[in-house]
Amino acid sequence: MLSLRLTRGARPSVLLRRSLVTVAAAGASFLLLSALGFASGHPADSQGAVGRLLWCLVPLAATVHLAVAVGRADPSTGPGPGFAAAGLGPARAALLAAVSMAAACALGGVLALLVFLHLRGDLGSWLDWAGGGADGRQLGGGRPLPLAGTVTLLAVVPVLVGAACAAGLWPRQPRAGHQPVREPRGARRPAVPAPPTVVTGPVAPWPHRATSGLPWGIALTAAGLALEAYASGDAPPHPDALLAVPGRLGGNPPGVVGGWVLAALGLVLAGPGLTHLCGRLLAVGRPGVLRLLAGRMLQQEAGLIGRPVGALCALAAAGYTVLELYGRASGPSGAHAFGPLTGLGAALVTLCAAATTLTAVVEARSARERTTAALLRLGAPARLLRAAAALRATALLALLVPLAWVVAHLTAMPFRR
């Protein structure tokens, strides 16, 4: 009930972000229901059903990532004096954010179920699906759906989102390196001990921790590229089979798909370290005011915007590779390489990645409001802050665009033989 009241009184930008979470959850739930419908309509094709279910993992992960970012940036569920007076500490505020995001995803699941049943013809109408014929049975039209399986798949997105939000926003004690200074012998202690320092959210309070994932990210990316090159062997996988996901996953060795996944995870993991490195390069040497301000802010915000930026980099590399393969597969055999479910999954992942990045940028802007206000009070011109923001964006693009281009070319290399 409190979550609904906070939703009613939220600002339009907050409502827009929650609506994006609902749309993303609806898309992911629809893909899960489509896999169930295909399995019910084609009981003999277990490989195709498993392939469609595996294809749902990437949109599902993107939806969870978006929901965690929106829940972290939502001011109506964050800790504050009003929540503390009502007895809602950081832990209960994290649970409130998790419940809010889970409710938004549950609403998306209901919408996906209605659309799915309408397309199957279970609501008294029939909408032609992909031209009818054999493609009209892709959702299992005319076959009964198992109730337990439907309810289970609809509960997957809200449960995962709620658990991820609660785990990501749960308050944490400071780690080693932030231990309190030992008092000298004989010093007086205060009558009321100071409350322990509680930190919520990502690693933004400690910018140096953002670089810890850079070696692991580089190692994962290199391992993914090596696994893909090794798995392709002498006979590279057929581009049509890869582009037609879901439905023809069997035409590709599992190592190729696994290599793609490892390379994408490596880029996401290396995102904060790359962002921090970009800030250090901006402030190297004897920087002026503009370069110093842009570099220090980029290092401070590496923990917030690093992983969304890494996800965008991975998405750009995958998109470039797929477009190149689609150009090679064009013709009679590749004219229909992209199916409707493949397009829905790709659009969902793109939407989630872009919305997550924008949400992280908004959160970083809110986190530096005090610093911006202090600079303005000291007489810093507003154009200096705008120039620093433009310089940060330009530096990130100059570092990440060539990286995505190199990874995309290495990923597509087995298909060029």
Side-chain angles (χ1 to χ4, degrees):
M1 186 60 67
L2 178 59
S3 177
L4 293 178
R5 289 183 179 272
L6 291 175
T7 302
R8 289 178 55 188
R11 294 179 297 181
S13 58
V14 177
L15 293 177
L16 177 61
R17 291 197 293 265
R18 291 191 179 184
S19 300
L20 289 177
V21 173
T22 302
V23 171
S29 300
F30 183 83
L31 290 176
L32 290 172
L33 292 175
S34 301
L36 179 63
F38 181 85
S40 63
H42 303 77
D45 191 2
S46 59
Q47 184 178 3
V50 172
R52 281 166 170 78
L53 192 60
L54 292 177
W55 168 240
C56 300
L57 294 180
V58 177
L60 183 59
T63 301
V64 173
H65 194 202
L66 173 61
V68 172
V70 171
R72 187 174 57 235
D74 195 345
S76 62
T77 56
F83 287 96
L88 291 177
R92 292 188 177 181
L95 292 179
L96 180 61
V99 171
S100 300
M101 293 299 103
C105 293
L107 176 60
V110 172
L111 296 177
L113 178 61
L114 293 177
V115 174
F116 178 72
L117 293 178
H118 178 73
L119 292 177
R120 279 173 45 93
D122 295 336
L123 298 182
S125 63
W126 174 257
L127 183 63
D128 189 20
W129 177 261
D135 294 334
R137 296 187 297 270
Q138 293 298 313
L139 299 182
R143 294 291 186 93
L145 285 176
L147 180 60
T150 304
V151 174
T152 301
L153 290 181
L154 287 178
V156 165
V157 180
V159 170
L160 287 182
V161 165
C165 287
L169 303 179
W170 196 260
R172 299 175 178 86
Q173 299 291 340
R175 296 186 178 181
H178 296 271
Q179 300 295 332
V181 181
R182 181 176 298 177
E183 297 180 357
R185 183 174 298 177
R188 295 183 177 181
R189 294 184 178 181
V192 179
T197 304
V198 177
V199 179
T200 59
V203 298
W206 306 298
H208 64 277
R209 288 181 54 190
T211 61
S212 61
L214 183 58
W216 297 101
I218 295 176
L220 272 182
T221 303
L225 295 175
L227 178 61
E228 180 194 355
Y230 176 78
S232 62
D234 297 330
H238 198 270
D240 292 353
L242 185 62
L243 292 175
V245 175
R248 280 183 275 178
L249 274 175
N252 297 277
V256 174
V257 181
W260 278 32
V261 173
L262 281 181
L265 289 179
L267 289 176
V268 174
L269 188 60
L274 292 174
T275 306
H276 192 274
L277 176 63
C278 186
R280 293 193 63 178
L281 292 177
L282 276 179
V284 73
R286 296 182 177 180
V289 177
L290 179 61
R291 281 204 300 127
L292 180 62
L293 183 61
R296 294 302 184 190
M297 284 189 174
L298 202 54
Q299 294 178 54
Q300 185 68 28
E301 298 169 359
L304 285 174
I305 66 175
R307 290 189 178 179
V309 167
L312 273 184
C313 187
L315 181 62
Y320 181 87
T321 305
V322 169
L323 288 178
E324 181 175 351
L325 297 181
Y326 181 71
R328 292 176 178 269
S330 60
S333 60
H336 301 285
F338 287 101
L341 297 181
T342 307
L344 175 61
L348 179 60
V349 173
T350 304
L351 172 66
C352 291
T356 303
T357 305
L358 292 178
T359 302
V361 170
V362 171
E363 185 183 3
R365 182 179 180 182
S366 301
R368 65 171 181 267
E369 283 182 351
R370 294 184 179 180
T371 304
T372 303
L375 290 175
L376 292 176
R377 285 196 304 268
L378 291 175
R383 63 177 179 273
L384 176 64
L385 301 179
R386 292 193 294 266
L391 182 59
R392 293 197 302 271
T394 303
L396 277 178
L397 290 176
L399 177 66
L400 296 180
V401 168
L403 176 63
W405 184 81
V406 170
V407 172
H409 275 266
L410 291 178
T411 303
M413 189 175 295
F415 296 95
R416 296 172 179 166
R417 292 179 300 178

